Amino acid sequence: MQLNYSNPQHPLSSPETKTRKPRLHMLCLSPLGTRSRQLFIPRLLKIYLFRWEICLSEKQMLVVFLSSLCVSCRMQCPRAGNFECSVTKLKFEMRSGGTLTYMYSSWDQHLGKAEMQDWMAAGPLFNIQADASGKVATIHLPLFICLKGRKTDISQIKIAHFLDVGMTVEEPTRMSPFHVVLENPTFSFLGVLCKSMYRLFHFFPIHSVVQLYQSSRTASLHLYVIPNDSSLIQAIKDEEEKHHSMLVQKRPQTDEPLYFGSHYVVRSSTDLKINPEELEFSYQNPGQLQSFVEICVGKEGRIELSLRKKENLCSVWDAWLEPGIYSQMEYFLLADTRQLCKEELKSF
């Protein structure tokens, strides 16, 4: 499988660029008044990311991945078979080779207020196009509602298909733990919704993740608790990177599914300032700013963070943070590198 992210308006998407041999360009970087270090910038678009390597020392390498300027994804399937996009978690079963183009969309741009009262998003919404729909035997749409133990009434899970005439609802062909399958699909805007006759959305268990970002300007962490939805993860990443924040690499999955409307608190092993003190787990569209808990860490040593249920303080997620691993120098390096990226792109 070859996965490309393309933007027709961007010079890197031209045929000439795709055949260009990678070149290694060397610049000098002097962060925070330290002695110059060499910044090696390969002028090569690898799949959908630019890769920048900063040589800090002979033993340490800081690798920074910067999102490309592209907004759509293109999957080129060379033959019949099963293919999965590692970024969006979309899966396709192809009858023959073909090309699929897709991008995230937002539910609130397509659902009216009345519909939003009766339907709950159960996965990302995609705008999908194929060079020939007949080449696609099945599509597997990501689902963040937990089906384990059959606590969810799966008859309420539908596939929303938005056309010029409005929304139509289709029955899934079958379901797997993390996907809803539709055979012989026709493409436009597709996503998974869940209907509740009594609007009791808090009865649905939700596969959930925690995203932890380190601010570059203050000694604080931003902790997000969201459904395991790749469009929400990407929206948070885009917003945090605007402010030069960095993702803290910790286990994202919660120990058990969470429930919309439930309340959770963040606890630490030391006396830290945490605001707000509690949060309500909910779904916010990717186009909205996602809510987070701010944790002021200062110059603390080793810290344990945990996410706990408010009613009984049972932990549903925890992580250890080691002192000194998020130095301010790395964040200034990241900011300087992004600026260099913009300048380098102008010379392509």
Side-chain angles (χ1 to χ4, degrees):
M1 181 189 75
Q2 182 180 1
L3 179 61
N4 297 317
Y5 278 51
S6 63
N7 183 342
Q9 304 300 322
H10 198 280
L12 288 177
S13 297
S14 66
E16 295 180 359
T17 304
K18 293 180 181 178
T19 58
R20 181 186 299 168
K21 293 182 179 180
R23 292 180 294 168
L24 194 63
H25 189 64
M26 185 171 68
L27 298 175
C28 290
L29 179 66
S30 301
L32 301 179
T34 59
R35 62 185 180 87
S36 297
R37 292 178 171 85
Q38 291 180 332
L39 174 64
F40 295 92
I41 304 178
R43 289 183 172 179
L44 172 64
L45 183 64
K46 300 183 71 175
I47 304 180
Y48 65 99
L49 297 172
F50 293 108
R51 179 174 177 173
W52 299 71
E53 296 183 349
I54 304 175
C55 296
L56 299 177
S57 67
E58 293 181 358
K59 296 182 179 180
Q60 183 182 10
M61 181 75 75
L62 174 64
V63 181
V64 183
F65 290 92
L66 301 179
S67 296
S68 71
L69 304 178
C70 312
V71 294
S72 64
C73 317
R74 186 174 71 245
M75 180 183 290
Q76 296 176 341
C77 306
R79 61 187 181 280
N82 297 314
F83 300 87
E84 179 178 6
C85 173
S86 61
V87 177
T88 62
K89 309 307 179 185
L90 277 171
K91 296 181 181 181
F92 301 93
E93 181 184 350
M94 305 294 294
R95 294 190 177 95
S96 62
T99 301
L100 298 131
T101 304
Y102 47 93
M103 62 188 300
Y104 292 123
S105 189
S106 183
W107 286 107
D108 58 358
Q109 295 178 0
H110 300 275
L111 289 175
K113 291 184 178 180
E115 293 169 321
M116 293 178 70
Q117 293 294 321
D118 296 325
W119 292 96
M120 177 185 74
L125 178 64
F126 296 97
N127 182 5
I128 307 174
Q129 303 295 331
D131 56 0
S133 298
K135 296 180 180 180
V136 183
T138 63
I139 181 173
H140 299 240
L141 296 165
L143 171 73
F144 58 64
I145 292 180
C146 179
L147 302 181
K148 186 177 180 180
R150 296 300 183 185
K151 295 181 180 180
T152 302
D153 182 1
I154 61 174
S155 67
Q156 302 301 319
I157 297 176
K158 310 292 182 182
I159 296 176
H161 192 185
F162 294 95
L163 303 170
D164 293 337
V165 295
M167 183 179 76
T168 61
V169 176
E170 300 186 42
E171 293 288 339
T173 305
R174 61 183 183 276
M175 298 185 194
S176 64
F178 295 96
H179 289 84
V180 171
V181 182
L182 180 65
E183 292 182 349
N184 302 315
T186 56
F187 292 125
S188 61
F189 291 89
L190 284 175
V192 184
L193 290 175
C194 186
K195 185 175 180 64
S196 175
M197 295 177 61
Y198 305 103
R199 302 178 184 174
L200 299 179
F201 295 153
H202 58 277
F203 284 163
F204 296 113
I206 306 297
H207 292 299
S208 307
V209 294
V210 174
Q211 297 285 281
L212 195 62
Y213 277 84
Q214 166 71 49
S215 172
S216 63
R217 294 183 173 88
T218 61
S220 63
L221 299 169
H222 295 170
L223 185 146
Y224 298 83
V225 185
I226 58 173
N228 190 3
D229 181 326
S230 56
S231 65
L232 299 180
I233 294 172
Q234 184 64 45
I236 291 172
K237 178 177 181 290
D238 292 343
E239 180 63 26
E240 287 288 347
E241 288 190 346
K242 289 180 184 178
H243 307 286
H244 310 309
S245 300
M246 290 181 65
L247 176 67
V248 180
Q249 296 291 345
K250 294 296 177 181
R251 173 179 60 91
Q253 290 81 11
T254 56
D255 297 331
E256 60 185 57
L258 306 186
Y259 291 83
F260 288 147
S262 297
H263 290 256
Y264 299 87
V265 295
V266 177
R267 292 288 184 263
S268 68
S269 56
T270 58
D271 187 18
L272 301 178
K273 293 182 179 179
I274 299 175
N275 183 46
E277 295 183 353
E278 70 176 73
L279 61 91
E280 179 180 344
F281 182 55
S282 62
Y283 177 87
Q284 295 172 283
N285 277 287
Q288 299 175 306
L289 289 176
Q290 304 296 310
S291 300
F292 61 83
V293 174
E294 184 176 20
I295 306 166
C296 298
V297 294
K299 296 183 179 180
E300 299 289 340
R302 194 173 191 233
I303 300 171
E304 181 186 16
L305 290 179
S306 61
L307 181 69
R308 299 173 180 269
K309 299 177 183 178
K310 181 184 177 181
E311 65 269 18
N312 55 20
L313 296 182
C314 289
S315 176
V316 295
W317 176 88
D318 59 75
W320 282 99
L321 304 180
E322 300 294 339
I325 61 174
Y326 315 117
S327 67
Q328 288 295 317
M329 185 186 73
E330 291 181 346
Y331 298 118
F332 280 102
L333 281 172
L334 178 61
D336 290 346
T337 303
R338 284 199 176 92
Q339 183 61 37
L340 287 169
C341 172
K342 294 178 182 178
E343 295 173 0
E344 277 292 295
L345 285 175
K346 293 178 182 178
S347 65
F348 273 25

